[in-house]
Amino acid sequence: MKIYNTLSRKKEEFVPLEEGKVSMYVCGPTVYNLIHIGNARPMIVFDTVRRYFEHKGYSVNYVSNFTDVDDKIIKKANEEGVSAREISTKYIKECKKDMEGMNVMPATTHPLATREIDGMIDMISTLIDKGNAYRADDGTVYFRTKSFKEYGKLSGKNIEDLESGHRDIKVTGELKEDPLDFVLWKPKKEGEPFWESPWSEGRPGWHIECSVMAKKYLGDSIDIHAGGEDLIFPHHENEIAQSESANGKIFSKYWMHNAFLKVDNEKMSKSLGNFFTVRDIEGHYDLNVLRFFMLSVHYRSPLNFSDELMESAKRGLDRIINACENLKDLMEGAAEKGLTDDEKIKLDEAGTFRAKFETAMEDDFNTADAVSAVFELVKWANTNARLDRSKEFLNMILMEINDLMDILGVKTDREEKSHEGGLEKSDIEAFIEERKAAKKEKNFQRADEIRDLLKAKGIILEDTREGTKWKRI
Ligand code: AMP
Ligand code: ZN
C-alpha cells in the first residue's frame, strides 16, 4: 500500500511500526461553533483511511482530539455570558451528532485538551530541562525554535527564509529571544480560564496539546499523523519540533494532509455568504450524500462544493442504491437452487471490479477511482441480475456492492425519513396495491390519480415485468 507522505513529498510503501497495527492521530476541530463542511472533509477522508486499514485486517488505534480551550471559545463564551466549558461541551456534542450523520466512526479515543494539562506541564518541563524552551519574564514559556536542527523539514521552509519573513515585523510586548520562537504556555488574561503551573497561572499553547495527547494515547512514535493542509505550517511543524526534542524519537512516520474544500470555487467565508455548516447541508441532503460527494475526489485534490456537484453525487449514489434495491426485489422471487456454472463464471468476472477498487485504494487511497470501480460493478450488476438467476448469485452481487461501499462508509439503504407530507414505505406500498387493483378493474382514472398523487410527494413509479417499483426523487 502506498501513502503520499508530506514529510518526504513522495508516495511511500506503508510499513507499520508494529505488524498488524496502525496508530493514527488526526487533529480535531476547535469547538466553538457547529462544524462546517470544510471540517467535515478530514473527518470523512481519514475515517475512510481507517476503514480501509481495518478491512485489510489491521487493528487501528485512532485518536482525534477536541481543542476545547482557545481564544475563539473564550470569545464566544464572553459574548454569550457563559463559561468556556459550557461552549465546548455543547459543540462537542453537536460535532458528535454530525459525525454520526456522516457515518464517521467514533475515534478509539477523543481526548480533550483541558483534561490533559498535567501531561502538557510535564512535556514543557522536559523541554525546558533539555534547553529547548525557556520562561520569559511575564510567565510565558517559548519553544526555542533554532534548538531543533530539523525545523522546517515537514513544510520545506528553512530557517533563513522564515527569518527574512520576520525581519520587518517588530513585535511589541513580546519577550521572545527570537522572533521564530513559539508559545508553549501563556499566562492568563483577566476573565480567562487558567491552570496552575510552575511558570504562571495560564493555559497551554495549541501545538503542545496535540504533541502530548498523541504521546499519551499512542506513544512517542506513531504511524500516521493527519489533518488539513493548512495545519502543515506552523501547527504540525511545531508538533514535530516539540515531540522530537522532548522524546528523542521520530514523532510520526507518515504525514497525511487533505486539500481544502472550496465553495463555488471560492474560499468559504462568512462574509462571502458561502459558508455552510454540516447542519445546513443536512436540511437539504442526507449526509450520506455529503460523504459520497467528498469521496468522489482524491483527498489531495482541491474539492469544490456546489449545488450541481451535490446533485450529481446524489444521482450517482441513487444509481448504486437503486441497483441494491433491484437486487433485493429480484431475490424475493428467485429460486434457491445453488450457483449454476454460468453464474460462477459471471462472479469471477465481477471480481475484476473489486480488484480495481483495491488497486485504487492501495494507491494513496484514491477513492475517486474506487468509486468508479463501484459504478462499473453496478452497471455490470444491472445487466447480469435477472429474474431467472439463483438467489445465491443475486445475493453475492448485492454483498459485493455493500462490502465495497462499506469500506467507503457510504450506506446503501435508503433512509426512510418520515418528513412532513412525506410518505412511509408502507403507505407507498399500499397505494401501489390499490393502483394494481384499480388497473385490474380497468379503473384507469384512479390508477393515474395514484401515480400523480405519489409523484407530487416525490415518489416515481416504474412498471416493470417484475411488477411496479418505486423510488424517491
Ligand atoms: P480547525 O477547527 O480550524 O482547527 O479545523 C479542523 C480541521 O478541519 C483541520 O484538520 C483543518 O485543516 C480542517 N479544515 C478546516 N477548513 C477546511 C476546508 N475548507 N477544507 C478542508 N479542511 C478544512
Ligand atoms: Zn493538532
Side-chain angles (χ1 to χ4, degrees):
M1 185 197 300
K2 293 244 183 323
I3 295 186
Y4 180 88
N5 191 352
T6 310
L7 191 60
S8 63
R9 291 161 200 86
K10 285 201 294 271
K11 279 188 199 166
E12 290 177 32
E13 189 59 34
F14 177 71
V15 183
L17 292 168
E18 209 180 316
E19 210 182 310
K21 294 189 174 167
V22 180
S23 51
M24 273 182 90
Y25 187 94
V26 181
C27 292
T30 306
V31 277
Y32 65 101
N33 230 329
L34 290 172
I35 58 161
H36 59 68
I37 51 177
N39 301 138
R41 190 171 192 195
M43 287 179 183
I44 291 171
V45 159
F46 298 117
D47 178 64
T48 307
V49 168
R50 172 194 190 169
R51 284 170 185 267
Y52 188 67
F53 276 122
E54 289 184 349
H55 159 74
K56 294 203 37 147
Y58 285 97
S59 149
V60 184
N61 192 349
Y62 190 99
V63 176
S64 189
N65 67 298
F66 286 113
T67 298
D68 64 342
V69 58
D70 168 272
D71 289 342
K72 293 184 213 119
I73 301 175
I74 296 168
K75 184 166 171 266
K76 177 106 174 191
N78 290 340
E79 278 165 14
E80 296 195 5
V82 296
S83 68
R85 164 76 54 98
E86 275 173 87
I87 294 291
S88 60
T89 307
K90 174 176 172 191
Y91 289 109
I92 288 171
K93 206 165 143 220
E94 299 296 350
C95 177
K96 287 186 174 170
K97 248 192 243 170
D98 287 336
M99 283 169 63
E100 197 185 331
M102 298 186 294
N103 206 21
V104 170
M105 295 196 280
T108 317
T109 315
H110 278 293
L112 305 184
T114 55
R115 308 267 170 91
E116 309 291 344
I117 304 289
D118 287 350
M120 295 174 204
I121 291 177
D122 280 351
M123 193 181 275
I124 297 171
S125 302
T126 304
L127 289 169
I128 294 177
D129 291 347
K130 288 188 157 188
N132 298 104
Y134 59 95
R135 179 190 184 278
D137 288 343
D138 65 349
T140 308
V141 181
Y142 291 104
F143 185 88
R144 193 173 273 129
T145 298
K146 282 189 191 143
S147 72
F148 183 63
K149 296 289 167 262
E150 293 174 280
Y151 194 81
K153 68 176 171 179
L154 181 71
S155 57
K157 295 183 192 289
N158 64 44
I159 291 279
E160 292 74 42
D161 291 346
L162 289 168
E163 277 189 321
S164 65
H166 276 78
R167 202 162 293 147
D168 305 331
I169 306 170
K170 177 124 183 60
V171 188
T172 49
E174 285 195 349
L175 303 160
K176 294 181 187 185
E177 286 176 1
D178 188 290
L180 297 184
D181 295 350
F182 59 89
V183 171
L184 299 175
W185 185 267
K186 56 181 140 195
K188 68 172 181 187
K189 290 198 202 100
E190 199 48 44
E192 288 185 354
F194 67 89
W195 289 263
E196 298 290 338
S197 83
W199 318 290
S200 56
E201 290 180 335
R203 60 188 164 102
W206 172 36
H207 316 304
I208 196 76
E209 297 174 6
C210 288
S211 281
V212 168
M213 291 185 272
K215 179 183 170 79
K216 175 163 171 189
Y217 294 100
L218 298 170
D220 289 353
S221 291
I222 68 175
D223 289 303
I224 299 173
H225 196 122
E229 64 183 3
D230 58 322
L231 301 187
I232 298 174
F233 188 86
H235 185 52
H236 288 163
E237 194 73 66
N238 291 355
E239 280 191 45
I240 293 177
Q242 296 162 160
S243 293
E244 298 193 357
S245 300
N247 304 329
K249 292 189 189 140
I250 293 293
F251 180 30
S252 179
K253 225 173 148 183
Y254 305 89
W255 287 84
M256 294 179 74
H257 294 97
N258 65 273
F260 254 42
L261 174 131
K262 289 186 168 188
V263 175
D264 294 324
N265 284 315
E266 291 196 78
K267 190 175 178 321
M268 194 164 48
S269 86
K270 289 213 166 113
S271 57
L272 288 173
N274 64 356
F275 182 94
F276 300 112
T277 63
V278 169
R279 215 50 73 78
D280 292 332
I281 302 307
E282 198 182 13
H284 297 85
Y285 293 96
D286 188 335
L287 292 182
N288 204 30
V289 176
L290 182 68
R291 182 169 182 125
F292 188 68
F293 161 78
M294 295 266 184
L295 296 178
S296 62
V297 168
H298 188 270
Y299 75 93
R300 282 190 292 114
S301 302
L303 175 57
N304 188 38
F305 182 93
S306 69
D307 280 345
E308 296 91 271
L309 292 170
M310 274 298 277
E311 279 303 320
S312 140
K314 184 174 183 300
R315 281 195 303 274
L317 183 56
D318 270 343
R319 254 185 11 243
I320 298 171
I321 296 177
N322 286 342
C324 292
E325 301 213 323
N326 183 37
L327 284 161
K328 284 184 220 158
D329 287 348
L330 287 173
M331 274 169 67
E332 276 178 29
E336 296 191 38
K337 56 180 183 190
L339 291 175
T340 64
D341 287 345
D342 174 55
E343 287 177 344
K344 283 181 193 152
I345 295 169
K346 287 276 172 211
L347 285 175
D348 278 348
E349 205 177 293
T352 56
F353 304 114
R354 172 178 286 262
K356 270 193 183 174
F357 181 97
E358 296 206 341
T359 304
M361 292 300 276
E362 294 282 311
D363 182 18
D364 191 30
F365 306 95
N366 190 338
T367 55
D369 285 0
V371 166
S372 302
V374 177
F375 279 130
E376 285 181 45
L377 171 62
V378 161
K379 195 169 163 209
W380 179 92
N382 288 341
T383 324
N384 287 284
R386 299 189 308 254
L387 204 53
D388 60 348
R389 296 289 191 197
S390 71
K391 196 173 214 165
E392 195 176 347
F393 176 79
L394 298 167
N395 190 35
M396 284 178 89
I397 304 178
L398 177 64
M399 284 194 330
E400 192 66 359
I401 301 176
N402 279 336
D403 204 35
L404 299 186
M405 291 296 276
D406 203 39
I407 297 171
L408 299 175
V410 181
K411 295 182 192 157
T412 50
D413 44 357
R414 196 160 265 132
E415 278 221 354
E416 302 298 351
K417 277 193 190 160
S418 64
H419 35 81
E420 226 170 298
L423 290 171
E424 300 281 355
K425 194 173 170 200
S426 54
D427 300 327
I428 300 165
E429 279 163 4
F431 274 123
I432 291 176
E433 276 310 304
E434 193 194 332
R435 179 167 167 269
K436 195 170 149 194
K439 281 209 297 198
K440 216 168 160 191
E441 291 162 13
K442 307 232 177 313
N443 184 353
F444 297 113
Q445 192 186 342
R446 177 61 186 153
D448 287 347
E449 240 173 58
I450 292 173
R451 176 188 283 278
D452 294 344
L453 178 152
L454 288 173
K455 194 171 170 198
K457 294 201 180 281
I459 309 293
I460 294 286
L461 299 185
E462 194 192 343
D463 293 317
T464 71
R465 272 195 300 161
E466 290 90 42
T468 303
K469 293 187 180 157
W470 61 271
K471 61 181 182 203
R472 291 186 200 270
I473 46 162

